[in-house]
C-alpha cells in the first residue's frame, strides 16, 4: 500500500468513523445475537447482600442518576426494586441529582403498585436535596431534619415507614444507584466509615474501576458497573427469565456492546498498523 | 397513550436527531436544540432546588407561616436568609464584599467535611487494606489461582509493590537516580494497566449511552401497544428526512463559504 | 474587617465540621445539623445566583440584537416556560399528564441523553486518531484496554480457547494493577485534600475570598 494512502487513511474524515459507529450500534439491535454471559463476583456479592436482608426491614435507596445514564442504571434500578419488593423489604428513597425525581418516581409508583405496596407505609420518596457532600453528611446525621417534607409535600416525621429511622445507620442497607458526582464515592468518604454502614453500589461503567478499591477494602458490600453489571444482576433476580410485562433492557442490550467494542478494537488496530508502517517508512527514508 | 404523549414521543425523536446532526457539523438545527436544552435544564434545576431545598428547609420553617410558632429554631431560620441576601450582594459591585461571608461559610463547611472523609476513607482504610497477610493468602490461594482471578501471593506482592512504585513516581521532589527511575518506570507501567482498563470501561459506558437512544428510535424500550401507537421507526425516518433535508439546503446556501468543522 | 470576619468564620465553621467526626455528644450534633442545613441552603442559593447571572448576561444580548441573539432568546423562553410550568404544577408537578412532566419526558430526556450519546462517536474517532502505541507504556495501555473491551462483554466469554481465561485475566487487571494505581491516586489526592482543607481552615489559602 502506498505511503500517502496510509497517511490519508490516518487522517480520513471522521464522519466515516461516526457512520461506522452508528452502524455498529444499530445493526446488532436489528439483528440480535444473544451470547450467554457469566455473573462476576462483585455483582454476585451485591445480590447476596440484598438477598440476606430480612423481610420487613427497611433500606435507604439513593437514586442518583439522570437520563444520560438511564441505559446503564435503570435496568439495575428496576431489577433491584423487584428484588426488594418481592422480599417484602420496605424502602425510603432520596436523590442528590435534580433530574432524578421525574425519572425515578414513575418507576417507584409502577412497581410498588404491581406488588400492592402502599405509599407512606411500605415506601416513601423524599425527593431531591442539593449540597452534595453536605447533603450526604446530613443524611448520616438526621434524615427527617434534612428532608422535612417528602416529594408530595407530606411531613416526613408523619410517614409510617420513617418511624424509628432517623439516621442512615438505622437502615438495613444503603443502596446507591450512582451516575457520578455526587454518588458512591461521596457516600463512602463521608458516612460509610463514620457510621460503619452497609452500602451496595450500582454505577456507570466509567466509574466502575474507581470503586473497585472500595469494594476490595470492604467499604462496599457489592458493586455493579455499567450495562454488563445490570445485565448480570437481572440474570440473578430473574434466573428463569422475566415475568410477563417485564422487559430486561440490559440483557437485551448487552450483546450490542460486542459489535461496538469490536469496531473500536478494529479502529485501534488499523490506526496503529498505519502509524507503524508510516513511521518505519519515514525512518528508512 | 394520549395524543399529546404520542406527539411528545415524535418530538423526542426529532430532538434526538437534531442533536445527532452535530456529528455532520455544527449547524443551526443542533444549536437550536442545544439552547432549548440549556434553558430547560437550568429551569429544572431551579424548580427542583426550590421544591427540594428552599421550600421545605427554609420558607416553610419561617415563623411567618401559620403553623410555625415563634421559637429559637424558627428565629434561627433568618440566619440562612440573611446569608442568602449577602450572597446576592455579589450582583451589586458596591456591596459585593458582603458575599465573602456566606462564601467563607460554604467553603469552610466543605473543607471540614472533606478533610475527615478523605483522611478516613481514602487514606487510612485504603492503606490498611493494601498490606497483605501473606501467610493467609498462601494458605488460601497459594502462588496463583486462576479460578480466583489470579489471587495469590504473586498478586498481593504485585499490589503492594505497584502501589509503592506509583506513590514514589508521584514524589516529584525526590532526586531521580537510577534506582528511582526503574521504580518510577514500574509505577508508570502499573498506572498504564489501570488507565487502559479505565479506557475499556469508558468505551463500554459511552456506547451504552448511544444504545439507549437507539432503543428509543427503534421502539425497543416500549411495550408493543405503545410502539403501535407511536410508530417510532416512522418517526425516526420522518425526523431524519427533515433534518437531512435542512442540512442539504443549509450546506448549499453556505456554498464556497463552508468550512467543515471535522 | 472585610477580610477578618470571613477568615474567623472560616476557621470556626471548618473546625466545627472537622470536630463532628470525633465528638459524639448529642448537643454538638444538634449544632452540626443546623450548620449542615444552612450549608445546603447556601449551596442551593449559589445555583440561583448562577441563574441571575445567566439572565443578566443574555437578556441584554437579546435586547441589543447581538450575534446569535435568536438562540439566546430561545434559551430564555425555554427557561421561562420550564419555570412557569414547574411552579404551576407545585407538588403535583411530577404527576402523569402535567406539563412539567411532559417537558421532562419529551424534551429534557432526549436532549440530555443524546448530548452524552455523542460521546460514543467521539470515543471511536479518538480511538482511531489518537491511540498510538508510540512506546512501551502506550502499548501496555492499549493491550490492557483491548483485553478489558473483549473480556467485559459476552463475546469475550464465548471465544474458543481463551474464553475462560480472558475474563479471569481481565478481573486480575481490575483487582491488582488497577487497585494499586487507584489507591496511589486516592492516597495522593487525600493528602492533597487534607493539606488544602487545612490551609483553607487556617486562613493560609484565601483565594475564595477574592481580592481586597
Amino acid at each position: 500500500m502506498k505511503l500517502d494512502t496510509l497517511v490519508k487513511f490516518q487522517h480520513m474524515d471522521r464522519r466515516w468513523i461516526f457512520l461506522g459507529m452508528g452502524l455498529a450500534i444499530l445493526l446488532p439491535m436489528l439483528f440480535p445475537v444473544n451470547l450467554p454471559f457469566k455473573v462476576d463476583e462483585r455483582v454476585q456479592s451485591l445480590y447476596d447482600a440484598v438477598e440476606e436482608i430480612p423481610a420487613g426491614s427497611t433500606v435507604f435507596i439513593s437514586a442518583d442518576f439522570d437520563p444520560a445514564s438511564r441505559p446503564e442504571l435503570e435496568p439495575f434500578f428496576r431489577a433491584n426494586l423487584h428484588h426488594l419488593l418481592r422480599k417484602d423489604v420496605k424502602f425510603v428513597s432520596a436523590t442528590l441529582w435534580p433530574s432524578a425525581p421525574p425519572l425515578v418516581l414513575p418507576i417507584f409508583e409502577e412497581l410498588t403498585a404491581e406488588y400492592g405496596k402502599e405509599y407512606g407505609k411500605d415506601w416513601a420518596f423524599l425527593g431531591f436535596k442539593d449540597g452534595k457532600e453536605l447533603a450526604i453528611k446530613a443524611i448520616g446525621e438526621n434524615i427527617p431534619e434534612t428532608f422535612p417534607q417528602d416529594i408530595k409535600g407530606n411531613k416526613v416525621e408523619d410517614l409510617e415507614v420513617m418511624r424509628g429511622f432517623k439516621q442512615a445507620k438505622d437502615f438495613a442497607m444503603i443502596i446507591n444507584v450512582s451516575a457520578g458526582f455526587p454518588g458512591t464515592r461521596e457516600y463512602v468518604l463521608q458516612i460509610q466509615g463514620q457510621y460503619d454502614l452497609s452500602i451496595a453500589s450500582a454505577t456507570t461503567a466509567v466509574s466502575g474501576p474507581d470503586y473497585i478499591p472500595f469494594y476490595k477494602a470492604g467499604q462496599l458490600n457489592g458493586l455493579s458497573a455499567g450495562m454488563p453489571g445490570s445485565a448480570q444482576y437481572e440474570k440473578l433476580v430473574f434466573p428463569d427469565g422475566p415475568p410477563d410485562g417485564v422487559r430486561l433492557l440490559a440483557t437485551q442490550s448487552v450483546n450490542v456492546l460486542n459489535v461496538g467494542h469490536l469496531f473500536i478494537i478494529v479502529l485501534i488496530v488499523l490506526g496503529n498498523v498505519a502509524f507503524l508502517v508510516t513511521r518505519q517508512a519515514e525512518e528508512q527514508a | 397513550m394520549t395524543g399529546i404523549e404520542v406527539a411528545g414521543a415524535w418530538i423526542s425523536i426529532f430532538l434526538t436527531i437534531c442533536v445527532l446532526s452535530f456529528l455532520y457539523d455544527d449547524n443551526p438545527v443542533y444549536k437550536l436544540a442545544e439552547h432549548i436544552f440549556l434553558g430547560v435544564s437550568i429551569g429544572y434545576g431551579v424548580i427542583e432546588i426550590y421544591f427540594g431545598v428552599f421550600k421545605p428547609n427554609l420558607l416553610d420553617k419561617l415563623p411567618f407561616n401559620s403553623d410555625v410558632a415563634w421559637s429559637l429554631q424558627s428565629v434561627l431560620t433568618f440566619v440562612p436568609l440573611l446569608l442568602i441576601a449577602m450572597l446576592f450582594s455579589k450582583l451589586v459591585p458596591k456591596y459585593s464584599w458582603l458575599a465573602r461571608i456566606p462564601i467563607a461559610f460554604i467553603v469552610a463547611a466543605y473543607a471540614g467535611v472533606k478533610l475527615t472523609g478523605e483522611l478516613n476513607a481514602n487514606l487510612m482504610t485504603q492503606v490498611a487494606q493494601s498490606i497483605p497477610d501473606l501467610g493467609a493468602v498462601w494458605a488460601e490461594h497459594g502462588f496463583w489461582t486462576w479460578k480466583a482471578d489470579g489471587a495469590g501471593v504473586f498478586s498481593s506482592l504485585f499490589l503492594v509493590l505497584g502501589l509503592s512504585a506509583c506513590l514514589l513516581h508521584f514524589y516529584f521532589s525526590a532526586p531521580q537516580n537510577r534506582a528511582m527511575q526503574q521504580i518510577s518506570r514500574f509505577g508508570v507501567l502499573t498506572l498504564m494497566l489501570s488507565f487502559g482498563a479505565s479506557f475499556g470501561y469508558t468505551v463500554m459506558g459511552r456506547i451504552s449511552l448511544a444504545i439507549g437512544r437507539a432503543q428509543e428510535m427503534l421502539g425497543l424500550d416500549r411495550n408493543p401497544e405503545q410502539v403501535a401507537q407511536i410508530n417510532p421507526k416512522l418517526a425516526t425516518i420522518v425526523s431524519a428526512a427533515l433534518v437531512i433535508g435542512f442540512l442539504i439546503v443549509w450546506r448549499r446556501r453556505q456554498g464556497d463559504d463552508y468550512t467543515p468543522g471535522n | 474587617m472585610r477580610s477578618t470576619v470571613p477568615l474567623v468564620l472560616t476557621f470556626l465553621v471548618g473546625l466545627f465540621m472537622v470536630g463532628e467526626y470525633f465528638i459524639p455528644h448529642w448537643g454538638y450534633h444538634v449544632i452540626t445539623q443546623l450548620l449542615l442545613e444552612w450549608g445546603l441552603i447556601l449551596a442551593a442559593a449559589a445555583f440561583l445566583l448562577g441563574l441571575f447571572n445567566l439572565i443578566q448576561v443574555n437578556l441584554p444580548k437579546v435586547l441589543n440584537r447581538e450575534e446569535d441573539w435568536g438562540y439566546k432568546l430561545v434559551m430564555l423562553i425555554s427557561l421561562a416556560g420550564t419555570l412557569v410550568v414547574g411552579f404551576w404544577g407545585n407538588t403535583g408537578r411530577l404527576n402523569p399528564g402535567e406539563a412539567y412532566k411532559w417537558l421532562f419526558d419529551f424534551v429534557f430526556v432526549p436532549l440530555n441523553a443524546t448530548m452524552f450519546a455523542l460521546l460514543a462517536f467521539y470515543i471511536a474517532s479518538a480511538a482511531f486518531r489518537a491511540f498510538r502505541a508510540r512506546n512501551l507504556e502506550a502499548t501496555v495501555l492499549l493491550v490492557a484496554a483491548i483485553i478489558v473491551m473483549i473480556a467485559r462483554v459476552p463475546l469475550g466469554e464465548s471465544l474458543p480457547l481463551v474464553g475462560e481465561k480472558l475474563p479471569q485475566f481481565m478481573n486480575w487487571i481490575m483487582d491488582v494493577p488497577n487497585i494499586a494505581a487507584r489507591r496511589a491516586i486516592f492516597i495522593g489526592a487525600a493528602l492533597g485534600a487534607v493539606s488544602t482543607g487545612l490551609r483553607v481552615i487556617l486562613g493560609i489559602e484565601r483565594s475564595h475570598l477574592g481580592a481586597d
Side-chain angles (χ1 to χ4, degrees):
Chain A
M1 199 181 266
K2 284 184 187 169
L3 191 64
D4 56 346
T5 311
L6 279 175
V7 172
K8 270 188 198 166
F9 175 70
Q10 285 182 76
H11 295 102
M12 74 164 147
D13 191 335
R14 63 183 180 177
R15 286 175 287 195
W16 290 112
I17 300 172
F18 296 159
L19 182 63
M21 190 75 237
L23 289 171
I25 292 168
L26 282 171
L27 289 175
M29 296 187 92
L30 292 168
F31 308 105
V33 174
N34 293 320
L35 297 172
F37 53 87
K38 290 189 192 137
V39 176
D40 77 38
E41 182 241 329
R42 291 179 279 271
V43 177
Q44 184 68 58
S45 181
L46 196 160
Y47 176 85
D48 293 341
V50 176
E51 190 65 14
E52 280 165 17
I53 301 172
S57 307
T58 310
V59 301
F60 185 83
I61 302 176
S62 190
D64 304 322
F65 61 102
D66 64 352
S69 45
R70 246 170 123 186
E72 292 186 274
L73 295 177
E74 189 180 315
F76 171 89
F77 187 65
R78 285 178 171 271
N80 184 240
L81 278 175
H82 277 284
H83 196 184
L84 292 168
L85 291 168
R86 73 183 183 205
K87 282 173 60 63
D88 278 326
V89 172
K90 300 177 196 177
F91 67 87
V92 173
S93 180
T95 178
L96 305 169
W97 286 46
S99 50
L103 215 57
V104 304
L105 186 61
I107 299 174
F108 283 144
E109 286 176 339
E110 178 196 332
L111 294 182
T112 51
E114 238 177 77
Y115 286 87
K117 300 298 179 185
E118 195 184 318
Y119 186 85
K121 189 176 162 209
D122 302 306
W123 71 282
F125 182 47
L126 308 183
F128 160 69
K129 198 61 61 182
D130 197 14
K132 303 179 177 47
E133 288 100 331
L134 296 186
I136 292 171
K137 204 73 175 172
I139 286 169
E141 283 274 340
N142 191 326
I143 294 173
E145 278 293 319
T146 308
F147 295 90
Q149 294 170 17
D150 68 3
I151 193 77
K152 300 179 189 217
N154 307 311
K155 281 196 177 156
V156 165
E157 61 197 13
D158 293 341
L159 295 173
E160 190 184 322
V161 70
M162 277 298 295
R163 262 181 230 145
F165 294 96
K166 186 186 164 196
Q167 296 180 280
K169 67 179 183 188
D170 298 330
F171 293 92
M173 188 186 284
I174 314 275
I175 298 171
N176 182 218
V177 185
S178 162
F181 174 78
T184 298
R185 178 194 299 279
E186 286 65 43
Y187 269 98
V188 169
L189 259 58
Q190 295 306 326
I191 58 175
Q192 191 281 324
Q194 185 176 0
Y195 300 102
D196 194 22
L197 299 175
S198 167
I199 301 182
S201 166
T203 184
T204 54
V206 171
S207 304
D210 274 345
Y211 299 160
I212 290 173
F214 294 142
Y215 170 76
K216 280 293 186 186
Q219 291 161 307
L220 293 174
N221 56 24
L223 178 64
S224 163
M227 197 178 271
S230 294
Q232 291 165 21
Y233 191 74
E234 283 177 340
K235 186 176 177 180
L236 290 170
V237 172
F238 303 108
D240 301 320
D244 283 338
V246 176
R247 273 166 292 123
L248 302 183
L249 282 173
T251 306
Q252 195 179 305
S253 314
V254 75
N255 277 286
V256 177
L257 290 172
N258 294 327
V259 180
H261 283 202
L262 265 179
F263 181 68
I264 300 275
I265 291 168
V266 163
L267 285 176
I268 292 173
V269 168
L270 286 178
N272 276 284
V273 163
F275 164 72
L276 289 167
V277 168
T278 316
R279 189 170 75 169
Q280 207 169 31
E282 282 168 359
E283 279 168 5
Q284 281 170 359
Chain B
M1 290 182 87
T2 61
I4 199 142
E5 284 172 338
V6 173
W10 275 62
I11 288 168
S12 171
I13 290 173
F14 177 72
L15 288 171
T16 300
I17 307 257
C18 287
V19 175
L20 288 174
S21 71
F22 185 75
L23 295 171
Y24 175 71
D25 202 354
D26 192 6
N27 62 80
V29 152
Y30 167 78
K31 276 197 174 120
L32 189 71
E34 181 191 45
H35 282 80
I36 294 172
F37 174 56
L38 264 171
V40 168
S41 63
I42 294 168
Y44 266 101
V46 170
I47 294 292
E48 292 306 320
I49 278 172
Y50 175 81
F51 285 106
V53 182
F54 285 129
K55 188 174 176 299
N57 291 87
L58 182 65
L59 300 174
D60 287 351
K61 286 185 172 180
L62 289 169
F64 303 129
N65 292 291
S66 54
D67 55 345
V68 178
W70 283 88
S71 63
L72 176 64
Q73 197 177 17
S74 60
V75 167
L76 280 173
T77 318
F78 286 105
V79 174
L81 210 54
L82 181 64
L83 289 170
I84 290 173
M86 284 179 168
L87 191 64
F88 274 80
S89 71
K90 237 183 156 23
L91 296 168
V92 181
K94 191 177 170 188
Y95 299 107
S96 63
W97 64 270
L98 279 169
R100 289 181 179 185
I101 292 169
I103 289 171
F105 183 96
I106 299 175
V107 168
Y110 277 107
V113 301
K114 272 192 94 70
L115 205 151
T116 47
E118 293 276 351
L119 257 177
N120 178 44
N122 261 351
L123 190 60
M124 284 162 42
T125 309
Q126 293 295 323
V127 168
Q129 293 299 319
S130 299
I131 314 298
D133 179 349
L134 289 176
V137 171
W138 178 264
E140 194 178 351
H141 297 295
F143 187 73
W144 175 282
T145 312
W146 269 111
K147 274 208 162 70
D149 299 332
V153 167
F154 172 80
S155 296
S156 300
L157 284 173
F158 190 109
L159 198 150
V160 175
L161 294 172
L163 169 60
S164 310
C166 291
L167 284 170
L168 283 168
H169 172 69
F170 292 144
Y171 195 43
F172 299 121
S173 44
Q176 288 277 315
N177 57 32
R178 197 180 162 83
M180 268 296 284
Q181 280 175 357
Q182 296 303 317
I183 294 169
S184 186
R185 192 128 203 256
F186 179 60
V188 168
L189 289 173
T190 307
L191 285 164
M192 291 301 114
L193 278 169
S194 172
F195 295 156
S198 261
F199 180 78
Y201 268 75
T202 302
V203 165
M204 185 166 68
R206 301 298 178 223
I207 296 177
S208 302
L209 306 180
I211 287 172
R213 302 319 300 143
Q215 281 176 330
E216 182 177 349
M217 289 196 284
L218 296 174
L220 297 172
D221 62 341
R222 293 187 183 278
N223 61 47
E225 295 82 35
Q226 288 173 330
V227 169
Q229 281 181 294
I230 298 168
N231 205 338
K233 288 178 185 167
L234 179 64
T236 304
I237 293 167
V238 168
S239 302
L242 283 170
V243 170
I244 291 169
F246 172 83
L247 287 174
I248 292 170
V249 169
W250 171 70
R251 175 83 170 77
R252 279 204 180 140
R253 277 207 178 160
Q254 298 238 301
D256 293 334
D257 295 333
Y258 174 72
T259 42
N262 297 309
Chain C
M1 159 80 173
R2 290 187 182 194
S3 295
T4 312
V5 169
L7 282 173
V8 170
L9 186 67
T10 304
F11 178 74
L12 291 173
V13 171
L15 202 63
F16 212 90
M17 296 312 296
V18 170
E20 181 271 339
Y21 186 86
F22 301 103
I23 299 171
H25 192 272
W26 68 269
Y28 196 96
H29 284 260
V30 166
I31 300 172
T32 315
Q33 178 61 33
L34 201 62
L35 292 177
L36 283 170
E37 197 172 1
W38 292 353
L40 295 183
I41 294 167
L42 275 175
F47 188 92
L48 276 190
L49 193 64
L51 168 70
F52 280 106
N53 195 7
L54 184 87
I55 298 171
Q56 206 177 29
V57 164
N58 287 289
L59 192 59
K61 285 186 180 172
V62 171
L63 295 171
N64 297 331
R65 303 287 193 266
E66 289 178 29
E67 195 193 346
D68 284 346
W69 70 269
Y71 296 120
K72 310 261 184 273
L73 180 63
V74 165
M75 182 183 69
L76 291 171
I77 291 172
S78 308
L79 171 62
T82 309
L83 291 175
V84 164
V85 298
F87 284 114
W88 183 269
N90 207 338
T91 47
R93 67 192 180 283
L94 299 178
N95 292 339
E98 285 288 330
Y100 184 79
K101 185 75 171 64
W102 186 96
L103 205 60
F104 180 85
D105 287 340
F106 301 118
V107 177
F108 182 80
V109 167
L111 289 172
N112 180 234
T114 317
M115 288 287 175
F116 283 89
L118 289 176
L119 292 168
F121 301 90
Y122 285 102
I123 207 167
S125 170
F128 177 71
R129 285 183 167 189
F131 225 165
R132 296 286 180 260
R134 293 180 201 280
N135 48 36
L136 175 64
E137 286 82 5
T139 308
V140 165
L141 194 151
L142 266 175
V143 169
I146 290 172
I147 290 172
V148 168
M149 276 192 275
I150 296 177
R152 199 74 189 93
V153 291
L155 178 69
E157 289 170 31
S158 305
L159 289 173
L161 298 173
V162 296
E164 198 193 332
K165 293 279 185 277
L166 202 60
Q168 288 169 340
F169 187 62
M170 181 210 66
N171 282 330
W172 179 83
I173 293 176
M174 301 314 299
D175 287 347
V176 182
N178 175 60
I179 286 183
R182 299 279 161 192
R183 279 190 180 154
I185 294 166
F186 289 168
I187 290 165
L191 291 169
V194 166
S195 80
T196 306
L198 280 172
R199 286 167 60 85
V200 165
I201 291 169
L202 295 173
I204 303 166
E205 179 65 53
R206 302 177 185 194
S207 55
H208 58 283
L209 299 178
D212 273 327

